[in-house]
Amino acid sequence: MVVKTEAVVLKTVKYGDTSKIISVFTREYGKLSLIAKGARTSRSKFVSILNPMSCIQAVFYLKESRDIHLLSDASSSRVHKNIVGDPQKTMTGFVMLDALNTAVHTRESHPVLFDHLVEALDGLDRAERSPVNYLIAFLIALLREAGYGLKLDACVRCGGKLDREPLVFESQFGGFACGRCRSPDTTLTMAPNHLEALRWLERPSPEVWSRLSLEPVESLRIVHLLAGHLCRHVPGARRLRSLSLLESTVVG
Amino acid sequence: MLSTSPALESLITAFSRLPGIGRKTAQRMALFTLRQPRSEVEELITALQNVLERVRSCSTCFNITETDPCAICSSSRRNHGLVCVVEEPNDVFAIERTNDYKGVYHVLGGTLAPLDGIGPEDLRVRELIERVEKGMDEVILALNPTVEGEATTHYLSRLLKPLGVRVTRIARGIPVGADLEFADDATLVRALEGRIPV
C-alpha cells in the first residue's frame, strides 16, 4: 500500500554504499523505519532532506509484514534553517528527538504528540533566546500524552498549596510535595521558580514560552527532572544519552 | 535452510556480515567462491591475511596505513601546518583524488551522534587538540553537511578557536555541473549565504 504522510526524521543510519535507513515519526503511522535508496549521493533528491529534525512529506510503500519500508518520495514540508547552525538549538532538538524516540513504540500512531513535536521544533527555530524552554515544554507535553503528566497545582501528598519551601519533586506521585509533607530522606529539592517555570511552560501557547527567562543551569535542572520522570515511568524508556551533550553546549 | 557443508555454511555466515549483504547474496558469493580456480581463491585469502596483518591506523592522523606514521604524515612535501579534519578514511581518499590538497589529515572516526550516545570522548577529539597545541596554522573542518556533521563542526570550532589557530570549514553549495533549477531549497540557501566576490 502506498501511503503519504507528514513525518519528522528522528535518526539516520548509513546503509550500503549510497543508501540510508531513516527512523521517522509520522503523523498517521507513528514511528517506523524507511529505506531511502541512493539518498547519500549528491544527485539524490533526498540528499538534503533526510536529516534528523527535518519535517517532510513522505511517500512510502507500507508493508505490514516488513520492519523497514521503502521510501519512494519525500519533500520538505517545513524548513527549520535556524536550528542547524546554532549548536544550542541543534542539541536541544536532539534531546527532543531522543525523548520521543525512547518514549514511543514502533507503529504507535499519536497525531497529538506529532503536532507537539512539530510545534516545539517550529518554536525552537524561531526562538531568539532560551531555546531550552521549548524542550521543557515538549517534555511536559510528552509526559502528559504518555499518561504521566505532572500535577503542578497542589501538593501531591496533602493537596494543599505549594507555598512552603523547600519543595520536593516526588516522581512516584508525579508532582511536588510541600515543605510540610516531604519525606525527610528526599534530596530532589526544587526552588519555587522551577515550579513557576513548569507552570509557565505547561501553557499551550508557544509564543509565551520564550518570554520565560531562566539561567541555563536552572533550565538543565528542570530538563533532568523531567527526563528522570520519563525514564522512571514510561515503559521501555531509557536514559537520554543526548543530555550530556546538551549540557556541555549550554553550560560550556 | 542450512547448507549440507558446515564449511560452506560458515563462509556464508562470514559473507553475510559484510555491509549490505543479506543471506541470499552471501550464499551466491560463497558458491561463486567455490567455483573459482584454487589460485584465485588463494589470492583472496592472501589479500585478506595481508590486510589483517599489515593494515593499521596511523598514530598521528588515524588514517589507514601500513607504515606508522603514514605516507602523508611522514612526507616532507606536505604542509604540516595545515590539517584537514574528516570523519572517515574514505573521506581522505576522496580529497586525495583531487590532487589539490597539500596539507595533512586528522580522521575523527565519526561525528557526534546524540541519539546513539556518541559524544566527544568516543571521537579522536583529544588527539586533534594535542596536535593543534603542538603548532598548527589552520584547521579545515571537512565533515559531512548533515545535522550531526554541523553539530560536530560547531563543537570543534568552539574548542579550537581559543587555541589561536585559524579554523575554517569547506564550502557548501551547488555541485559543479549541476542545474540551479534542480537544487533543493537548503542547498540553495547555503550557496547564497556562502557567496564569494568574483
Side-chain angles (χ1 to χ4, degrees):
Chain A
M1 174 174 65
V2 179
V3 297
K4 184 176 184 177
T5 180
E6 279 182 88
V8 175
V9 179
L10 301 178
K11 59 190 279 192
T12 69
V13 180
K14 290 177 185 174
Y15 182 75
D17 287 339
T18 58
S19 303
K20 264 182 183 180
I21 292 177
I22 58 166
S23 174
V24 291
F25 184 55
T26 65
R27 196 165 201 286
E28 277 88 14
Y29 306 94
K31 187 169 79 171
L32 35 86
S33 296
L34 305 174
I35 180 161
K37 291 193 174 172
R40 283 162 53 212
T41 62
S42 60
R43 284 187 300 273
S44 168
K45 57 185 173 181
F46 303 141
V47 71
S48 70
I49 301 171
L50 304 181
N51 278 310
M53 286 173 260
S54 293
C55 296
I56 58 170
Q57 273 285 346
V59 180
F60 54 93
Y61 298 94
L62 185 72
K63 260 193 167 177
E64 295 298 330
S65 57
R66 296 222 168 142
D67 292 334
I68 301 177
H69 311 274
L70 178 65
L71 182 73
S72 74
D73 197 14
S75 57
S76 192
S77 61
R78 294 172 120 83
V79 179
H80 293 139
K81 71 182 179 91
N82 299 322
I83 296 181
V84 183
D86 180 327
Q88 201 171 322
K89 285 186 179 183
T90 307
M91 287 306 167
T92 305
F94 270 125
V95 181
M96 285 181 195
L97 301 187
D98 199 4
L100 182 104
N101 192 35
T102 193
V104 299
H105 299 285
T106 309
R107 297 293 301 273
E108 219 175 56
S109 164
H110 207 316
V112 177
L113 192 53
F114 180 85
D115 292 341
H116 280 304
L117 177 64
V118 172
E119 187 177 65
L121 288 172
D122 283 351
L124 186 64
D125 185 58
R126 285 192 308 266
E128 287 175 5
R129 61 196 173 97
S130 314
V132 181
N133 288 2
Y134 292 88
L135 169 63
I136 297 173
F138 175 68
L139 290 174
I140 295 171
L142 175 61
L143 283 165
R144 188 174 55 239
E145 295 306 322
Y148 300 96
L150 300 179
K151 185 172 163 53
L152 302 173
D153 54 343
C155 171
V156 287
R157 285 180 183 265
C158 68
K161 276 189 179 176
L162 286 166
D163 55 357
R164 184 177 291 190
E165 292 183 51
L167 297 174
V168 173
F169 185 70
E170 304 250 6
S171 186
Q172 69 271 34
F173 300 117
F176 288 85
C178 66
R180 286 179 291 266
C181 303
R182 73 184 190 107
S183 339
D185 54 340
T186 337
T187 51
L188 201 51
T189 55
M190 304 296 283
N193 68 331
H194 293 148
L195 175 63
E196 286 312 313
L198 284 165
R199 283 175 175 162
W200 184 268
L201 296 170
E202 194 189 26
R203 294 160 66 177
S205 13
E207 61 277 9
V208 303
W209 293 343
S210 66
R211 282 191 225 150
L212 178 76
S213 180
L214 276 172
E215 287 294 316
V217 180
E218 289 186 300
S219 304
L220 287 172
R221 193 162 152 75
I222 297 175
V223 170
H224 273 289
L225 177 143
L226 297 171
H229 191 57
L230 180 90
C231 293
R232 178 175 178 149
H233 295 289
V234 177
R238 51 153 179 77
R239 189 178 62 84
L240 302 187
R241 291 183 286 204
S242 52
L243 265 182
S244 58
L245 273 172
L246 174 69
E247 230 163 34
S248 66
T249 313
V250 173
V251 188
Chain B
M1 188 185 75
L2 288 175
S3 78
T4 48
S5 154
L8 186 65
E9 181 58 33
S10 87
L11 183 61
I12 293 170
T13 308
F15 277 138
S16 64
R17 286 196 197 110
L18 296 175
I21 304 293
R23 188 165 168 85
K24 210 164 185 177
T25 310
Q27 197 172 305
R28 272 203 296 271
M29 288 166 75
L31 290 172
F32 175 82
T33 309
L34 204 61
R35 283 197 297 269
Q36 293 308 293
R38 191 179 176 88
S39 61
E40 284 193 20
V41 178
E42 279 173 349
E43 203 178 308
L44 176 68
I45 294 166
T46 313
L48 286 171
Q49 262 173 347
N50 285 346
V51 164
L52 196 67
E53 284 160 16
R54 294 188 200 163
V55 176
R56 65 190 113 156
S57 186
C58 170
S59 60
T60 309
C61 70
F62 302 97
N63 189 17
I64 291 167
T65 181
E66 285 193 21
T67 55
D68 191 14
C70 69
I72 295 174
C73 287
S74 54
S75 168
S76 57
R77 288 180 174 184
R78 292 280 179 161
N79 177 357
H80 290 265
L82 178 64
V83 64
C84 180
V85 180
V86 294
E87 285 179 28
E88 302 290 349
N90 291 355
D91 303 322
V92 175
F93 300 155
I95 296 176
E96 281 299 287
R97 271 203 312 268
T98 66
N99 273 327
D100 198 46
Y101 177 68
K102 300 297 175 209
V104 291
Y105 294 92
H106 187 88
V107 180
L108 210 54
T111 52
L112 299 175
L115 266 69
D116 297 319
I118 298 176
E121 63 286 352
D122 302 305
L123 306 173
R124 293 171 194 122
V125 174
R126 189 173 45 81
E127 291 86 345
L128 174 65
I129 304 288
E130 282 169 10
R131 283 181 80 181
V132 172
E133 279 173 342
K134 282 180 194 162
M136 283 279 173
D137 303 320
E138 182 176 346
V139 178
I140 304 171
L141 300 172
L143 306 176
N144 288 328
T146 57
V147 177
E148 292 92 339
E150 293 292 307
T152 314
T153 297
H154 287 295
Y155 179 82
L156 290 177
S157 66
R158 219 181 50 173
L159 285 183
L160 294 168
K161 276 179 185 164
L163 303 178
V165 66
R166 183 170 181 240
V167 183
T168 55
R169 61 178 302 164
I170 53 168
R172 300 163 294 174
I174 312 292
V176 176
D179 281 357
L180 275 188
E181 73 171 305
F182 295 116
D184 59 274
D185 304 351
T187 307
L188 269 173
V189 167
R190 287 176 179 186
L192 285 167
E193 281 170 355
R195 66 189 185 276
I196 52 166
V198 286

